[in-house]
Amino acid sequence: MRRKNKNIELKQILVQDYAAEGKSIARVDGKVIFIENAIPGDIVDVKLSKNKKDWAEGFVIAWHQYSPDRIAPFCAHFGVCGGCRWQMLPYPRQLEYKQKQVEDNLQRIGKVSLPPIPPILGAEHTTHYRNKLEYTFSSRRFLLPEELHNPEITPQQNVAGFHARGIFDKVVNIDTCYLQEEPTNRLRKAIRDFGLENELSFYDIKMHQGWLRTLQLRICTTGEVMANLVVGHEDPEMIRLLADRVLQHFPDLTTLLYTINKKWNDSMNDLSPQVIHGKGYVIEQLEDFRFKIGPKSFFQTNTRQGERLYQVTREFAELSGNAALPD
């Protein structure tokens, strides 16, 4: 493989292993090839996007044989949305590769001597497990390959969803996301539809202009729901109309807030969410412990797995309740 050739295609490559961030690995003439959208066991043709001395990156342009482990993704947006990476691999196999990656990083790469590592405790629920999500409103829609030459579909379109994988300025118009329980999809669509009906400006990240920016949702196992609408500038009348619409259709919403963000980035640390409805926070519960969570709070995004994490920590610590306090 010549390093300067930008159009290198590798034919009938056997994908051998998983790497970080959802990429897989093949080895060709001693060089490691990181491949997008493939799983171990696939036999594929790959076009290189980067080609260095000891490694390269590429993406699949043709499949000759699918891995026996491959399954059909359950989400229609998988592959273009940046939210999920491994839906084409059964969850037990995902855990095996994740465990191997951790062991390799610590022992082979980090040269750390470790005792046998117990297996990962997988999640009971592999959909609807996140308690927090952030959706993006954008005036730039990501077009699928089959939409590129359709004159009726334009990239200059107001949408709500997630950033396209690896593309900061375009958003996938999400229909159904399986990461969070309802009313996550209904809330997002209601606010998007309100924006379209009222011809509101959706945010353009390149031009740094637009009113509707993001929607942050927290949905707790206690049933409490918090929505924080982030907008680009003050508009009290429009905030009131939008809040009325949301509360009319979602009367069980525990807390509704809005936040003005005039910055170039979406970080919340230095912003001041304003309460429109409710107490301004939600209550989440792990075992017998209850947590007060605000719009800027950090909390484990998978509540049920967070609960298991504390249980395992408690077991490992072998706490009896009778430990003597230090002098």
Side-chain angles (χ1 to χ4, degrees):
M1 293 183 292
R2 290 180 299 167
R3 187 176 180 184
K4 294 183 179 180
N5 191 336
K6 297 182 179 180
N7 297 306
I8 295 176
E9 294 182 4
L10 306 177
K11 302 294 185 180
Q12 299 196 29
I13 302 302
L14 173 63
V15 182
Q16 298 164 304
D17 206 347
Y18 243 115
E21 300 179 353
K23 296 178 182 178
S24 290
I25 292 175
R27 290 177 175 82
V28 179
D29 299 331
K31 177 180 285 191
V32 175
I33 314 295
F34 297 96
I35 307 172
E36 295 272 3
N37 300 326
I39 67 172
D42 285 341
I43 299 177
V44 296
D45 292 348
V46 176
K47 185 171 184 178
L48 299 188
S49 54
K50 291 183 180 179
N51 189 20
K52 305 297 183 181
K53 181 180 179 181
D54 299 319
W55 61 273
E57 290 183 358
F59 54 91
V60 177
I61 56 176
W63 272 268
H64 294 278
Q65 181 176 308
Y66 289 118
S67 168
D69 288 334
R70 181 178 284 273
I71 60 174
F74 55 82
C75 178
H77 304 292
F78 178 73
V80 293
C81 166
C84 301
R85 295 291 179 92
W86 285 12
Q87 280 187 20
M88 69 292 209
L89 192 67
Y91 185 57
R93 293 290 283 160
Q94 294 181 30
L95 296 181
E96 291 176 18
Y97 285 116
K98 289 179 180 180
Q99 174 133 1
K100 182 176 183 297
Q101 182 182 352
V102 171
E103 292 177 355
D104 282 351
N105 286 344
L106 291 173
Q107 296 176 316
R108 184 177 58 83
I109 300 175
K111 308 301 182 185
V112 177
S113 178
L114 295 173
I117 300 176
I120 294 173
L121 294 177
E124 181 180 355
H125 302 278
T126 56
T127 61
H128 303 144
Y129 58 85
R130 288 187 65 98
N131 55 46
K132 179 185 177 183
L133 275 184
E134 179 173 304
Y135 295 109
T136 297
F137 298 98
S138 175
S139 61
R140 295 171 179 261
R141 175 181 172 177
F142 177 80
L143 296 185
L144 301 173
E146 59 268 24
E147 297 173 333
L148 290 173
H149 304 293
N150 187 338
E152 297 181 359
I153 302 177
T154 171
Q156 277 67 52
Q157 189 178 139
N158 290 333
V159 296
F162 295 119
H163 288 277
R165 184 173 176 179
I167 303 176
F168 84 98
D169 65 331
K170 290 184 174 60
V171 167
V172 179
N173 195 38
I174 298 295
D175 179 58
T176 302
C177 177
Y178 295 91
L179 289 174
Q180 192 177 50
E181 292 182 346
E182 294 295 352
T184 185
N185 293 296
R186 292 188 288 112
L187 257 169
R188 181 191 68 254
K189 291 177 180 178
I191 295 173
R192 180 198 63 192
D193 292 347
F194 178 89
L196 295 173
E197 292 167 14
N198 291 274
E199 298 182 348
L200 302 180
S201 58
F202 286 41
Y203 191 64
D204 185 320
I205 194 170
K206 276 192 171 181
M207 301 302 295
H208 187 50
Q209 60 187 24
W211 192 65
L212 282 173
R213 286 194 65 158
T214 60
L215 171 67
Q216 298 176 333
L217 293 178
R218 289 186 183 269
I219 301 178
C220 302
T221 59
T222 57
E224 297 198 1
V225 179
M226 176 170 63
N228 180 24
L229 179 67
V230 182
V231 296
H233 55 83
E234 283 280 7
D235 190 334
E237 178 64 16
M238 193 54 65
I239 283 288
R240 183 186 65 80
L241 292 173
L242 178 51
D244 288 346
R245 170 74 69 87
V246 169
L247 294 173
Q248 177 186 357
H249 287 85
F250 302 92
D252 295 332
L253 194 65
T254 310
T255 288
L256 177 63
L257 311 99
Y258 80 96
T259 303
I260 305 299
N261 183 8
K262 299 180 181 181
K263 305 182 301 177
W264 284 87
N265 64 70
D266 291 327
S267 64
M268 290 288 296
N269 294 335
D270 54 348
L271 301 179
S272 301
Q274 303 298 309
V275 178
I276 301 172
H277 166 78
K279 54 196 176 185
Y281 59 88
V282 287
I283 298 295
E284 184 58 289
Q285 185 162 340
L286 299 181
E287 293 186 328
D288 297 328
F289 298 94
R290 294 169 67 83
F291 297 84
K292 176 181 175 181
I293 303 174
K296 298 198 290 184
S297 300
F298 170 80
F299 196 78
Q300 292 286 343
T301 55
N302 187 333
T303 302
R304 297 179 182 90
Q305 283 296 87
E307 192 171 62
R308 295 191 75 185
L309 176 64
Y310 288 116
Q311 291 169 351
V312 171
T313 303
R314 185 169 60 233
E315 292 171 6
F316 280 13
E318 297 181 344
L319 299 176
S320 65
N322 299 316
L325 296 174
D327 295 333

